[in-house]
Amino acid sequence: MFEVLKNLAEIRAGHPFRGSVPAVDGGDAMVVQMRDVAADGTVGWTALTRTSIAGARPPDWLRDGDVLFAARGGRNYAVCLSDVPPRTVCAPHFFVLRLRAGAARVLPAYLAWHLNSGPSRRYLAGHAEGTDQLSIRRAVLEDTPIAVLSLERQRLLVALADAAMQERRCLEALVRSRDRELDALAHRLLTPDTVAVAVAVAP
């Protein structure tokens, strides 16, 4: 069964900062920006910019289970939040998706995975607008078709995606380790000073 996204989740824009996010030492809030989200979907919580948020009405702070969707630029992606620090908001480049009270049949992590899947990417790319910079309008995101599977299948898909991401991290770490070994070997064998020393001590 398919549902449009707006029937499953409330969708709002990130905090309406005017211009760039002002960094304030000792500020009372933290901000998730696009640079804080790694390619594997993890958020660098410890590196967030601190700022101050004024106003009589407190912002709608982020919380565990929220899904951020990057709506601007050539790379649109969704990330499911966990371990969110207190008093954290996100920049307006993101939409915040929060599952509705009656949408217990959809897991937040599954929703993020679905939006990152091939069919959703093709749908969103086909409806992106803009010349200098592509973006996804809120109305387009709201009408994104979401396949509502059984919770068992949702958990299975999320587990498979997590396992694939862990394998990717391990492979990337192995490649980086091999690159460092090759760099060290090249330095030892190909640097003029080390080559001269090797020749001098040769029998």
Side-chain angles (χ1 to χ4, degrees):
M1 181 178 68
F2 282 84
E3 289 272 10
V4 292
L5 181 56
K6 63 186 175 185
N7 290 344
L8 300 172
E10 300 172 2
I11 303 173
R12 61 176 175 82
H15 190 76
F17 290 101
R18 294 181 179 178
S20 59
V21 176
V24 177
D25 290 338
D28 61 356
M30 293 186 289
V31 187
V32 179
Q33 302 178 73
M34 295 183 74
R35 68 188 183 197
D36 299 313
V37 182
D40 62 0
T42 55
V43 180
W45 297 118
T46 59
L48 298 186
T49 298
R50 279 200 167 274
T51 191
S52 291
I53 296 179
R57 181 180 177 182
D60 194 354
W61 305 109
L62 296 176
R63 61 194 191 198
D64 288 0
D66 284 347
V67 174
L68 299 188
F69 180 79
R72 299 183 191 176
R75 177 174 168 255
N76 304 122
Y77 58 87
V79 55
C80 180
L81 301 182
S82 60
D83 302 319
V84 180
R87 301 181 66 84
T88 299
V89 297
C90 66
H93 301 83
F94 291 104
F95 284 118
V96 182
L97 284 57
R98 183 169 294 169
L99 289 173
R100 297 185 182 278
R105 56 205 173 102
V106 176
L107 302 175
Y110 168 75
L111 179 58
W113 174 84
H114 196 303
L115 291 171
N116 289 327
S117 69
S120 291
R121 284 181 179 276
R122 286 189 289 273
Y123 166 81
L124 293 167
H127 291 80
E129 299 177 359
T131 52
D132 295 336
Q133 185 182 57
L134 293 176
S135 63
I136 305 296
R137 290 187 299 110
R138 176 175 170 174
V140 169
L141 184 60
E142 288 177 335
D143 288 337
T144 303
I146 302 296
V148 182
L149 307 179
S150 68
L151 290 176
E152 181 181 2
R153 287 193 174 184
Q154 291 181 43
R155 293 189 184 97
L156 176 60
L157 287 167
V158 170
L160 289 173
D162 288 345
M165 184 57 67
Q166 186 59 39
E167 290 174 2
R168 187 175 294 111
R169 292 190 188 113
C170 290
L171 288 173
E172 290 173 351
L174 180 60
V175 170
R176 288 194 297 269
S177 177
R178 286 287 184 264
D179 285 342
R180 287 193 295 269
E181 290 175 1
L182 286 171
D183 285 343
L185 187 61
H187 178 75
R188 188 164 64 249
L189 297 179
L190 305 180
T191 301
D193 291 343
T194 57
V195 171
V197 170
V199 171
V201 300

